[in-house]
């Protein structure tokens, strides 16, 4: 699943195969098919594991930091560290979302759930911070902030420079 995750982030859904995985870890494709009968089943489990890890990290942020601003700053720092390691270390779900019309319904549902959960988390931070935006506009602002984070990740990837993520993401702190 780790290799599949790396291939998904690097290449996307349609540009990797079981042959790529078997070559990297030195096992037969049939062994992979035994545990993951279809590519969809493998990708679905990779996304579910990824989402579970993100949920745990957000819970840790909520427990270890006190203010909404420190929580969102820790979130930005997490992605800064990922992108500093490699500008290709972007959000898996965001990366796959560009292919959503071509992905199966179960994968689409997982991606939508991921976006909904992150938007809800950001909304909660905005509400906790008593952001000077009407309660009706909080959800839209949270959606805009998440889109900004994802756009910043793409900029870092396109230009192979994490500075783009840092600059754009730090502009978001003004809402907290």
């Amino acid at each position: 699943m780790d290799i599949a995750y790396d291939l998904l982030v690097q290449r996307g859904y349609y540009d990797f195969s079981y042959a790529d995985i078997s070559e990297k870890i030195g096992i037969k494709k049939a062994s992979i098919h035994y545990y993951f009968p279809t590519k969809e089943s493998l990708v679905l489990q990779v996304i579910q594991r990824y989402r579970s890890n993100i949920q745990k990290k957000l819970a840790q942020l909520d427990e270890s930091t006190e203010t909404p601003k420190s929580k969102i700053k820790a979130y930005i720092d997490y992605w800064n560290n990922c992108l500093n390691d490699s500008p290709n270390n972007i959000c898996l779900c965001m990366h796959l979302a560009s292919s959503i019309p071509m992905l199966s319904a179960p994968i689409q549902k997982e991606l939508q759930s991921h976006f909904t959960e992150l938007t809800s988390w950001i909304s909660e931070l905005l509400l906790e911070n008593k952001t000077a935006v009407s309660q009706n506009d909080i959800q839209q602002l949270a959606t805009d902030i998440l889109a900004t984070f994802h756009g910043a990740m793409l900029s870092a990837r396109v230009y192979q420079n994490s500075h783009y993520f840092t600059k754009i993401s730090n502009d978001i702190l003004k809402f907290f």
Side-chain angles (χ1 to χ4, degrees):
M1 286 179 50
D2 290 340
I3 299 297
Y5 170 84
D6 290 341
L7 290 169
L8 281 165
V9 170
Q10 298 301 315
R11 300 182 188 177
Y13 184 87
Y14 291 101
D15 289 331
F16 87 95
S17 67
Y18 279 20
D20 296 319
I21 296 169
S22 68
E23 181 182 309
K24 285 193 179 281
I25 58 178
I27 63 171
K28 295 183 185 227
K29 290 187 294 184
S31 297
I32 301 168
H33 280 284
Y34 177 79
Y35 294 100
F36 305 101
T38 64
K39 185 176 183 177
E40 177 186 341
S41 66
L42 170 61
V43 171
L44 200 53
Q45 286 193 32
V46 169
I47 294 169
Q48 289 167 342
R49 184 178 75 165
Y50 176 81
R51 287 188 56 224
S52 176
N53 289 337
I54 293 293
Q55 290 164 353
K56 289 174 190 169
K57 287 175 183 165
L58 292 178
Q60 289 171 347
L61 286 180
D62 287 338
E63 291 174 16
S64 66
T65 54
E66 293 184 17
T67 67
K69 187 171 191 163
S70 63
K71 292 174 185 180
I72 206 71
K73 179 72 172 118
Y75 181 81
I76 291 170
D77 290 345
Y78 168 79
W79 282 111
N80 267 327
N81 290 335
C82 289
L83 292 164
N84 280 330
D85 289 342
S86 169
N88 290 319
N89 286 341
I90 61 174
C91 172
L92 172 65
C93 293
M94 183 267 307
H95 180 60
L96 292 174
S98 65
S99 301
I100 206 160
M102 299 172 284
L103 299 173
S104 70
I107 291 175
Q108 287 182 21
K109 185 177 182 209
E110 286 294 322
L111 297 177
Q112 290 164 351
S113 294
H114 175 74
F115 278 70
T116 299
E117 288 168 0
L118 276 178
T119 301
S120 294
W121 181 73
I122 294 168
S123 292
E124 290 170 21
L125 296 180
L126 291 167
L127 286 169
E128 183 182 337
N129 194 51
K130 297 177 178 48
T131 303
V133 175
S134 73
Q135 197 161 11
N136 293 338
D137 293 335
I138 291 283
Q139 185 73 23
Q140 184 59 53
L141 179 56
T143 300
D144 294 348
I145 288 170
L146 183 59
T148 301
F149 281 138
H150 288 159
M153 285 180 202
L154 287 174
S155 293
R157 188 176 202 178
V158 165
Y159 295 110
Q160 292 293 296
N161 186 335
S162 64
H163 170 75
Y164 289 91
F165 179 82
T166 304
K167 170 68 176 98
I168 295 166
S169 295
N170 283 335
D171 289 345
I172 291 170
L173 292 174
K174 67 184 173 196
F175 295 105
F176 298 90

